[in-house]
Amino acid sequence: MTDTDRSAGNVTFPRIGRVGLDGLLVSFGDRLSEAGNRAALAFRAAVERESPEGVAETSTSLVSTFLRLDALHADPDAVAREMQVLLDSRDWYSADLPQGRRLWRIPTIYGTDLAPQLEEAADEAGLSPETAAREIAGTRVRVQTIGFAPGQPYLGQLPEHWNIPRQQALTERVPVGALVLAIRQLVLFSVSTPTGWRHIGQTGFRLFRPEAEEPFVLRPGDEVIFDSVEREAYDRLCAAGPDGGATCEPIR
């Protein structure tokens, strides 16, 4: 990532800002990029390893790391200075991604009545529905962040021709396990909800399991391949349990 890429107007990245009374936000850009997301994930992992005094909790968004401080005991200025030293210690945009990530393979049916907007999305991207489904199924994407709904991942990035806009109108509701697409990203829905993103695939994977010890199945930094399956296999896998046939293995 060049110095030009790290600047936006008069703002240079990375930078540290205050969020409310008990938060620090370490930002690596003002828009999504692979390098910015990599930096946010790697920096959060480094903060977790360092366990700096006064940091109670960390999380990441698409290109930022958030630090929630112990509001009663932490000195925000002192923590910010410590984080600046850590920031200056290396080029986070080219850092290795954190250890402990997993590769998931999630069986997905593309199109049909279960995911009726594949053709519309493919047309926006200048592809046939068959080519679109084949390309998405063959693309390994990263969980860039979790947000909007419990355990819901934003995944990407897809190739540039998938930089298609959201719909102008809402789809009234998509089901749990819906795979939707817009602006070079995929979102796998953890709850049933309205959306402005196009519904291009359907899985039997239940992402949010409040009854489990770890209720969020996917984690930022995990990678996913949405393998294409036929309707008969999809129905059988959905009936087998909440994983919907999904498997995972460590990324080494």
Side-chain angles (χ1 to χ4, degrees):
M1 198 171 194
T2 68
D3 290 338
T4 300
D5 294 327
R6 296 179 189 175
S7 298
N10 295 322
V11 179
T12 300
F13 297 97
R15 65 186 179 95
I16 301 175
R18 290 289 298 272
V19 180
L21 297 175
D22 63 349
L24 294 177
L25 189 68
V26 183
S27 300
F28 294 93
D30 66 344
R31 67 196 66 190
L32 177 60
S33 68
E34 192 283 331
N37 183 248
R38 172 183 293 269
L41 294 171
F43 188 79
R44 180 195 182 189
V47 172
E48 293 282 329
R49 288 194 301 270
E50 296 283 336
S51 298
E53 185 176 354
V55 176
E57 183 181 13
T58 67
S59 62
T60 56
S61 62
L62 291 174
V63 292
S64 300
T65 301
F66 175 72
L67 285 66
R68 184 176 67 82
L69 308 183
D70 180 342
L72 295 179
H73 303 102
D75 178 350
D77 292 333
V79 176
R81 287 193 295 270
E82 187 175 354
M83 292 302 97
Q84 188 63 58
V85 171
L86 184 58
L87 266 182
D88 294 340
S89 68
R90 65 176 305 173
D91 178 5
W92 294 99
Y93 296 95
S94 60
D96 291 336
L97 288 164
Q99 298 295 308
R101 299 180 306 120
R102 301 161 298 173
L103 172 63
W104 290 85
R105 303 191 77 105
I106 302 177
T108 306
I109 186 166
Y110 290 91
T112 77
D113 60 307
L114 296 179
Q117 292 173 298
L118 173 65
E119 184 172 354
E120 181 182 334
D123 185 63
E124 288 279 346
L127 303 173
S128 69
E130 296 76 18
T131 300
R134 188 165 55 248
E135 181 174 280
I136 293 169
T139 301
R140 182 164 160 170
V141 288
R142 181 192 303 159
V143 177
Q144 298 166 317
T145 193
I146 302 290
F148 180 74
Q152 183 162 297
Y154 287 73
L155 306 109
Q157 286 179 290
L158 296 172
E160 180 62 37
H161 54 265
W162 285 111
N163 191 20
I164 65 175
R166 299 179 182 89
Q167 305 172 105
Q168 293 188 358
L170 287 176
T171 297
E172 184 173 334
R173 188 163 297 276
V174 294
V176 173
L179 184 66
V180 303
L181 184 153
I183 51 177
R184 296 184 64 189
Q185 290 178 291
L186 297 166
V187 177
L188 185 60
F189 271 72
S190 63
V191 298
S192 178
T193 182
T195 183
W197 296 49
R198 290 175 175 86
H199 186 186
I200 56 100
Q202 183 62 41
T203 77
F205 193 48
R206 188 157 66 90
L207 290 160
F208 179 45
R209 305 178 190 182
E211 74 284 355
E213 184 176 344
E214 294 188 12
F216 298 170
V217 181
L218 296 183
R219 301 192 294 252
D222 283 354
E223 297 182 12
V224 180
I225 298 172
F226 290 98
D227 287 322
S228 179
V229 295
E230 298 298 327
R231 182 64 175 264
E232 182 180 351
Y234 168 82
D235 290 339
R236 184 178 69 253
L237 293 169
C238 285
D243 287 345
T247 60
C248 75
E249 61 186 66
I251 296 176
R252 303 192 185 280

